[in-house]
C-alpha cells in the first residue's frame, strides 16, 4: 500500500472530489497502479469519474481495482461489470433524489412546510409526527408587528419597540430591521407558503395562521416594503 486516502465529498458529482482527482493524477504519473476500496460506488456514482477510471485502465495506467468482495482488472468483462455496478449506484442515487423531492412535495400538498419554522412559530415532533405550532413566547408579538405597521408605525419604530421589550429570536439575538421587513412580507403568517423559494408554487399551510389575509394585504398596501419575498430558510 503506497498511500491511504480518505474523502468526505460525495461521489455523485463528477470532478468535485479533490482527493479523488489527486488520486487519478498520481495514477497517471505512475506513482501506483491499483486501488483498494470498499465497494465500486465509493469510487464513482457518476458517469464522468467512471469514465476516467476506465480510461486509465484502457491506457494501462490502472491495472487493478479490488473491493471487499470483487476484483476488476483491464479486461473487457471485468471493466463492463465495473461500469454496470457504478451505473447502478448512479441510478439508485438519482432515484433517491427523485423520491426525496416527491416526499417533500407530498408534505407541502398536505400543508407542511419543510425546514425550520419562522420566528413566531416552533417545530414540534410527537409520536413520529412533525408539525409547526405558534410559539407561545413570540406569536402575539409577531401579530402586533403587523397590527402596528397598519397603524402607521415605521420599521425603525417597531424595532425600537421590540428592543425595548427585550424581544429576540430563538437564538437570543435582537431582530434587525431587514428581518422585520422579511416578517412583514412573509405569507406564512396568514397561512400560505411558497416552496421551493422562488418557484412560484404556493401551498395552503396546515399550521395555525397568526394573522388574517386581510391584515397581511393591508400591510402590503400601507407601505412599500423592501425585500418582498416569501419565507425562506434564513427567516
Amino acid at each position: 500500500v503506497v498511500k491511504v486516502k480518505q474523502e468526505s465529498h460525495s461521489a455523485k458529482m463528477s470532478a468535485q472530489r479533490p482527493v479523488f482527482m489527486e488520486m487519478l493524477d498520481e495514477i497517471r504519473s505512475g506513482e501506483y497502479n491499483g486501488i483498494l476500496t470498499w465497494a465500486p460506488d465509493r469510487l464513482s456514482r457518476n458517469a464522468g469519474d467512471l469514465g476516467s477510471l476506465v480510461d486509465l485502465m484502457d491506457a494501462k495506467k490502472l491495472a487493478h481495482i479490488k473491493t471487499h468482495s470483487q476484483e476488476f482488472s483491464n479486461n473487457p468483462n471485468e471493466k463492463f461489470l465495473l461500469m454496470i455496478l457504478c451505473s447502478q449506484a448512479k441510478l439508485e442515487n438519482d432515484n433517491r433524489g427523485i423520491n426525496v423531492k416527491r416526499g417533500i412535495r407530498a408534505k407541502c400538498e398536505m400543508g407542511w412546510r419543510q425546514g425550520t419554522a419562522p420566528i413566531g412559530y416552533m417545530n414540534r415532533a410527537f409520536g413520529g409526527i412533525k408539525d409547526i405550532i405558534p410559539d407561545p413566547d413570540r406569536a402575539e408579538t409577531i401579530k402586533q408587528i403587523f397590527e402596528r405597521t397598519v397603524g402607521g408605525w415605521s420599521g425603525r419604530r417597531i424595532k425600537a419597540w421590540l428592543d425595548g421589550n427585550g424581544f429576540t429570536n430563538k437564538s437570543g439575538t435582537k431582530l434587525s430591521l431587514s428581518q422585520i421587513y422579511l416578517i412583514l412580507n412573509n405569507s406564512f403568517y396568514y397561512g400560505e407558503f411558497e416552496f421551493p423559494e422562488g418557484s412560484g408554487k404556493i401551498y395552503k399551510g396546515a399550521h395555525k395562521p397568526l394573522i388574517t389575509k386581510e391584515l397581511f394585504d393591508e400591510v402590503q398596501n400601507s407601505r412599500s416594503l423592501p425585500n418582498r419575498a416569501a419565507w425562506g430558510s434564513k427567516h
Side-chain angles (χ1 to χ4, degrees), residues 21 26 40 43 48 50 67 83 88 94 100 105 107 142-143 146 161 167 182 188 195 212 214-216 219:
M21 301 306 293
E26 290 170 352
L43 291 175
L50 174 58
T67 71
M83 289 189 288
Q88 182 180 19
D94 290 347
V100 168
R105 184 171 62 250
K107 290 180 179 179
I142 297 298
K143 179 180 178 181
F146 283 90
W161 167 68
F167 186 84
L182 287 171
F188 190 88
F195 191 86
T212 64
E214 290 72 24
L215 177 58
F216 181 83
V219 168

Side-chain angles (χ1 to χ4, degrees), residues 4-221:
V4 176
K5 294 180 176 291
Q6 295 182 339
E7 187 162 48
S8 60
H9 292 75
S10 173
K12 68 181 181 180
M13 298 298 292
S14 176
Q16 298 297 311
R17 294 174 290 164
V19 177
F20 179 81
M21 301 306 293
E22 179 183 69
M23 181 184 71
L24 296 182
D25 288 338
E26 290 170 352
I27 293 173
R28 291 187 186 100
S29 67
E31 190 168 342
Y32 44 85
N33 65 351
I35 300 173
L36 301 177
T37 186
W38 177 254
D41 66 355
R42 299 300 88 193
L43 291 175
S44 173
R45 283 180 284 146
N46 68 80
D49 290 346
L50 174 58
S52 296
L53 291 171
V54 174
D55 286 345
L56 287 171
M57 283 185 159
D58 289 341
K60 296 182 172 52
K61 296 286 188 178
L62 177 58
H64 199 77
I65 295 175
K66 181 174 177 58
T67 71
H68 174 66
S69 59
Q70 294 170 299
E71 296 184 17
F72 307 94
S73 59
N74 187 26
N75 74 64
N77 289 335
E78 291 182 13
K79 284 190 292 187
F80 182 63
L81 178 58
L82 175 66
M83 289 189 288
I84 288 176
L85 292 174
C86 290
S87 297
Q88 182 180 19
K90 174 174 171 52
L91 176 63
E92 291 173 353
N93 186 78
D94 290 347
N95 284 336
R96 188 178 299 114
I98 291 173
N99 290 335
V100 168
K101 291 178 181 178
R102 184 175 62 182
I104 291 174
R105 184 171 62 250
K107 290 180 179 179
C108 287
E109 290 171 351
M110 293 171 61
W112 299 118
R113 172 64 159 84
Q114 303 301 294
T116 303
I119 186 167
Y121 286 93
M122 55 194 300
N123 296 90
R124 180 180 65 170
F126 63 99
I129 299 175
K130 297 180 180 180
D131 66 353
I132 297 175
I133 62 173
D135 183 339
D137 297 325
R138 297 177 177 85
E140 181 59 31
T141 301
I142 297 298
K143 179 180 178 181
Q144 289 185 38
I145 290 176
F146 283 90
E147 293 173 340
R148 291 170 189 255
T149 299
V150 170
W153 283 37
S154 67
R156 295 186 182 279
R157 185 179 178 186
I158 289 175
K159 175 171 171 51
W161 167 68
L162 292 173
D163 292 347
N165 285 284
F167 186 84
T168 65
N169 60 25
K170 284 170 275 192
S171 63
T173 304
K174 293 180 179 179
L175 297 189
S176 66
L177 191 59
S178 63
Q179 287 175 313
I180 293 172
Y181 288 135
L182 287 171
I183 288 171
L184 292 171
N185 283 317
N186 191 343
S187 63
F188 190 88
Y189 292 107
Y190 75 79
E192 292 184 348
F193 61 89
E194 179 186 25
F195 191 86
E197 186 175 356
S199 66
K201 296 180 179 179
I202 306 299
Y203 298 92
K204 180 174 176 55
H207 60 283
K208 180 181 179 181
L210 298 187
I211 61 172
T212 64
K213 175 67 162 58
E214 290 72 24
L215 177 58
F216 181 83
D217 289 340
E218 283 188 60
V219 168
Q220 309 313 302
N221 293 330

